[in-house]
Amino acid sequence: VNGIEIYSMKIDSKVTSRFAHNVITSRAVNRGNVHKEVFFDVELPKTAFITNFSMTIDGVTYPGTIKEKEVAKQQYEKAVSRGQTAGLVKASGRKTEKFTVSVNVAAASKVTFELTYEELLKRQFGKYEMFIKVKPKQLVKDFEIEVNIFEPQGITELEAEGTFITNDLQNIIKKTFSEKKGHVSFKPTLDQQRTCANCSQSVLDGDFILRYDVKRITPDNLQIVNGYFVHFFAPTNLPKLPKNVIFVIDISGSMSGREIEQTREALLKILDDIKEDDFFNFILFGSEVHTWKETLIKATPENLDEARKFVRGIDTEGMTNLHGGIMRGIDMLNAAHEGKLVPKRSASIIIMLTDGQPNVGVSNTQDIQAHVKKAIEGKYPLYNLGFGYGVDYSFLEKMALENKGVARRIYPDADAALQLQGFYDEVSNPMLMDVELNYPENEISDLTKNSFKHFYDGSEIVVAGRFIDNSQNSLSVDVRGEGANDALSYTTQQDAEQTAKAFQEQEYIFGDYIERLWAYLTIEQLLEKRIAATGEEKENLTAEALDLSLKYKFVTPLTSMVVTKPEDYNNQDGIADKPTEVLTTDLKNLLSKPRMCMVYAKLHFIVKLISIKLSSLLILTSKYCKFKIIDGDPHFIISVPQKEDAICFNINENPGAVLNLINDPVTGITVKGELIGDKRANSSAKIQNTYFGKLGIANKLLDLKLTVTPEKITVQNGNEKTGFTWLDSVTLQQAGLTLRINKKKNLVLSMGSGASFVVVLHQVWKKHPLHQDFLGLYTLESAKLSEQTHGLLGQFFHPIDFTILEIHPGSDPKKPDATMVVKNNELTVTRGWQKDYRSDPEHGVDIPCWFVHNNGAGLIDGVHTDYIVSSLF
């Protein structure tokens, strides 16, 4: 591709006792006659830690070095501030992170990229799963995936499949396993990689997945190597515990449409799986809290039928009284246990689903966390499911972890119902409660988590630790838990000699694998504990996790890997970080559509929209800008693609002001917007919220005017006026004009040969004390606007460049200040975040940007008051 040939790509995985050590090696050559950029672009599982990376160019190796994140950032801060380095790792999907490195090399030069990452494979639904993303983007002469598995317990089954595997490719997957060893290889020839006989496109694009399980003669397995141990616990053939499950469901207005339909669909499937010994109930929260039944009830066939009718009738209303909903669920579960309404030997679970942020009743998230923790008192786990991107995920995660559960993001896609159901399936079969694995305190130090509220069928508990005496070679463990009929209690023993015997056949074991497994698990759990910790405890957890990350060379959220490159051809060094779930913005992705830019208005992010999904205000297509955004004040964001960065600013004006947004003297098209405020002023706010309450779109050459408010639409053609309301569904065609109104949703407008527009109606809850309905507008085909286009937005259709200097701490420790040089002006700017609603119209994605103060002074042409006009036309 483009003169660069990737002639070899090998993915080599070695799995020893569930711990996977993966090496991706890619070899490329510049076939061109000038220097060119070579890319190494791979996707890794989010659960993995990168441990090593190197580039070898014409025999010279450039290794990556792992450092404390802050040290790496300071070292390269100056280069970062000038846009000269690249963040190498970005979140790229539900399961993956993308690692991208590029390097400019001379003609005929060869480059070898080598990336190593490690992870502990988790057992789910009775199998360990290993996920490899395959996407070479071109035909590769020598392409191979090779996986070797060694399990001292013995392997019982091994599967390998790929989402891209055709019938022809199925036979190329070679898999064998016997006793303790498993082997999988996939090595398609060049012709087998083609999408068709003479095509140059590769069929290799998708997921390659391995699943396997091990023999379980005993409930657990202990392994001791070089002063470390790992203990795997997964008993089989236990009777299932009855469970008591409360579903706490957000039914606020923003869940309307597809989200609530998918929730109903998932709950109906879950009801099919609930066992007759189980107890359950539904709690719904909008502005008010509603319960299906006053107490938990048994899952008899009659009750399940009644529950199905109730679920089919669930609909949305109001805002988000999350605190009221979750507390009602906890109180109900507590009362059921105290009143002995549920069996003594039963596992209780709360599953909460929400798509937004609390804004009715107790809405301070720290208060909610404190109330929930006090009410649950560690008695049962809380599982929080965050639907989409508008949730405060860190709050949901902290609250779940504090209460022995986990948080999971539900992606707002077509399969959201399956995601919800899939999570329920993971926790639907508790086998044991209050599992404790106790090790002699005087023998073991640095033990990972060893007590677990529930053990679920098909999963596995893993505990690792370090011997105080490095030469100790035996261990005795007491295992306890509460089962469906009685308590489980036994002692298990192991010595290093038995482990060594079990490992005799292992040829490719990396000797310190148990030590690295222990380090991986310890870091993972320290980072998890750190989420809910504060103050000195958080500092200690951070220091410990950082120390281990550096010692074992893992790229974690506390470390970065600095990738150095040869100095010729303007190569710039890069930094590889570990993305976190809370901020998964891939800015490069958001900038990837070269002819699209966007502007929109929305309510302040805390406020939940009712009945109609929040959309964007303005999409403008141009040669130069990628996207622009207006927020509720309104806020503006201008992306600057060549910097992979963005600039943002606010316009603070009074309700009633009319802003000149787009003005094209050549096509005669103008777009102006009139601001409205809240129903009453917010006395505690220095700056009042404003939105667009009226839009005027005109084509002077055709003498056409369109006036849109949240109540009505008026079309004026010369002296003729035609009026419509948002309750109409009509299509109107006149000379030079096409107008289509979609009832209560949006209208589509085309005027002559100029740009087209889509106006979106945003309705809020009628009884909302503050907010009122407002409008949004998309501009399509704006390439049809001329280069003379100006206005508050139109001016940014032309290229803009800036430089950032002297990054230094600002008044907010999380938001540094800097000096920006733009349009020959030196401005003080602040690093901040704004929401981009393009990929998720309701909740948005956080976009980092440099905030220009004082109504964009120094950035916009003139001053903001220059754009205030007397009327819409």
Side-chain angles (χ1 to χ4, degrees), residues 576-593:
D577 290 324
K578 178 85 177 160
T580 60
E581 177 61 40
V582 181
L583 297 175
T584 55
T585 303
D586 182 346
L587 187 55
K588 205 164 187 176
N589 244 9
L590 292 165
L591 302 177
S592 63
K593 294 179 181 166

Side-chain angles (χ1 to χ4, degrees), residues 360-604:
V360 173
V362 179
S363 56
N364 179 294
T365 53
Q366 288 182 327
D367 291 345
I368 297 172
Q369 274 172 244
H371 294 175
V372 166
K373 189 175 180 183
K374 188 177 178 186
I376 289 181
E377 289 183 314
K379 293 191 289 287
Y380 33 77
L382 167 65
Y383 296 106
N384 288 333
L385 307 181
F387 206 135
Y389 301 99
V391 291
D392 182 345
Y393 191 84
S394 62
F395 154 63
L396 295 181
E397 190 172 37
K398 280 178 191 172
M399 190 161 66
L401 291 171
E402 279 185 334
N403 295 286
K404 302 187 177 180
V406 295
R408 187 76 59 83
R409 195 181 298 279
I410 302 298
Y411 293 86
D413 295 329
D415 68 340
L418 288 172
Q419 295 175 56
L420 289 166
Q421 192 190 344
F423 177 80
Y424 171 78
D425 290 345
E426 286 178 46
V427 298
S428 63
N429 291 314
M431 312 296 276
L432 292 170
M433 292 185 300
D434 300 321
V435 178
E436 288 198 6
L437 298 93
N438 296 310
Y439 306 84
E441 283 183 22
N442 59 341
E443 295 176 11
I444 300 296
S445 71
D446 303 317
L447 188 67
T448 63
K449 181 179 173 183
N450 67 325
S451 67
F452 302 84
K453 192 65 202 170
H454 292 162
F455 167 72
Y456 296 106
D457 191 24
S459 70
E460 181 173 67
I461 286 171
V462 183
V463 182
R466 188 158 64 91
F467 288 107
I468 292 170
D469 177 358
N470 196 37
S471 61
Q472 183 172 331
N473 56 15
S474 65
L475 184 63
S476 176
V477 188
D478 289 325
V479 181
R480 299 177 191 282
E482 296 296 329
N485 304 322
D486 47 28
L488 171 86
S489 178
Y490 69 90
T491 300
T492 189
Q493 289 179 309
Q494 177 66 296
D495 62 45
E497 226 171 275
Q498 286 170 289
T499 305
K501 198 174 175 186
F503 278 94
Q504 271 174 356
E505 302 161 51
Q506 169 63 302
E507 297 150 18
Y508 49 76
I509 177 173
F510 44 109
D512 57 352
Y513 88 96
I514 286 186
E515 184 178 347
R516 292 192 70 79
L517 186 160
W518 164 80
Y520 173 98
L521 199 56
T522 303
I523 292 167
E524 191 178 59
Q525 291 177 4
L526 288 169
L527 292 171
E528 200 173 80
K529 278 188 201 167
R530 182 175 167 262
I531 289 166
T534 54
E536 192 178 340
E537 185 195 2
K538 185 166 190 168
E539 285 176 22
N540 292 339
L541 291 167
T542 302
E544 200 179 335
L546 173 61
D547 190 45
L548 284 173
S549 300
L550 291 170
K551 181 178 177 183
Y552 291 95
K553 295 186 166 42
F554 286 130
V555 176
T556 70
L558 303 176
T559 53
S560 296
M561 183 166 64
V562 176
V563 175
T564 52
K565 304 179 187 178
E567 291 178 5
D568 43 8
Y569 306 125
N570 292 319
N571 282 312
Q572 305 295 350
D573 295 345
I575 294 178
D577 290 324
K578 178 85 177 160
T580 60
E581 177 61 40
V582 181
L583 297 175
T584 55
T585 303
D586 182 346
L587 187 55
K588 205 164 187 176
N589 244 9
L590 292 165
L591 302 177
S592 63
K593 294 179 181 166
R595 296 180 66 79
M596 185 73 82
C597 68
M598 171 204 267
V599 186
Y600 55 78
K602 70 169 187 67
L603 288 173
H604 194 255

Side-chain angles (χ1 to χ4, degrees), residues 165-180:
I165 297 291
T166 59
N167 288 338
D168 293 340
L169 289 176
Q170 190 65 52
N171 299 328
I172 305 166
I173 300 177
K174 306 293 181 199
K175 56 174 187 165
T176 56
F177 71 94
S178 61
E179 294 299 318
K180 301 173 185 179

Side-chain angles (χ1 to χ4, degrees), residues 776-817:
L777 174 92
Y778 295 76
T779 303
L780 309 173
E781 299 178 294
S782 65
K784 292 180 178 178
L785 296 172
S786 79
E787 291 189 6
Q788 294 178 43
T789 303
H790 205 262
L792 202 47
L793 303 174
Q795 64 186 288
F796 295 110
F797 284 8
H798 314 302
I800 184 169
D801 194 13
F802 69 90
T803 304
I804 293 291
L805 306 169
E806 300 164 15
I807 299 175
H808 55 274
S811 54
D812 181 338
K814 293 179 184 172
K815 296 178 179 177
D817 284 350

Side-chain angles (χ1 to χ4, degrees), residues 189-310:
T189 64
L190 269 177
D191 285 340
Q192 288 166 334
Q193 293 172 44
R194 297 180 197 277
T195 49
C196 67
N198 298 312
C199 296
S200 59
Q201 241 117 8
S202 174
V203 76
L204 306 183
D205 184 358
D207 305 339
F208 192 79
I209 297 162
L210 274 81
R211 295 185 187 92
Y212 74 91
D213 200 18
V214 300
K215 284 181 188 160
R216 297 182 196 279
I217 299 160
T218 56
D220 57 2
N221 177 254
L222 252 177
Q223 297 173 23
I224 302 167
V225 176
N226 298 341
Y228 289 83
F229 78 86
V230 61
H231 187 187
F232 300 106
F233 176 79
T236 53
N237 303 321
L238 292 173
K240 286 185 173 62
L241 273 165
K243 68 176 177 296
N244 317 305
V245 58
I246 291 187
F247 298 94
V248 182
I249 307 293
D250 182 346
I251 59 159
S252 60
S254 61
M255 283 283 289
S256 67
R258 189 165 79 157
E259 283 91 337
I260 203 71
E261 284 168 23
Q262 291 172 322
T263 302
R264 286 194 293 259
E265 183 188 336
L267 291 175
L268 287 169
K269 286 191 176 129
I270 285 167
L271 285 170
D272 291 341
D273 292 336
I274 287 182
K275 320 276 186 305
E276 197 161 349
D277 288 341
D278 295 343
F279 285 72
F280 72 108
N281 203 349
F282 296 102
I283 291 169
L284 312 178
F285 64 91
S287 294
E288 306 294 327
V289 177
H290 310 280
T291 59
W292 172 47
K293 299 288 182 185
E294 287 309 303
T295 61
L296 281 153
I297 67 161
K298 198 168 186 196
T300 63
E302 299 76 22
N303 286 338
L304 287 169
D305 280 342
E306 193 184 333
R308 288 184 187 98
K309 285 178 194 159
F310 173 78

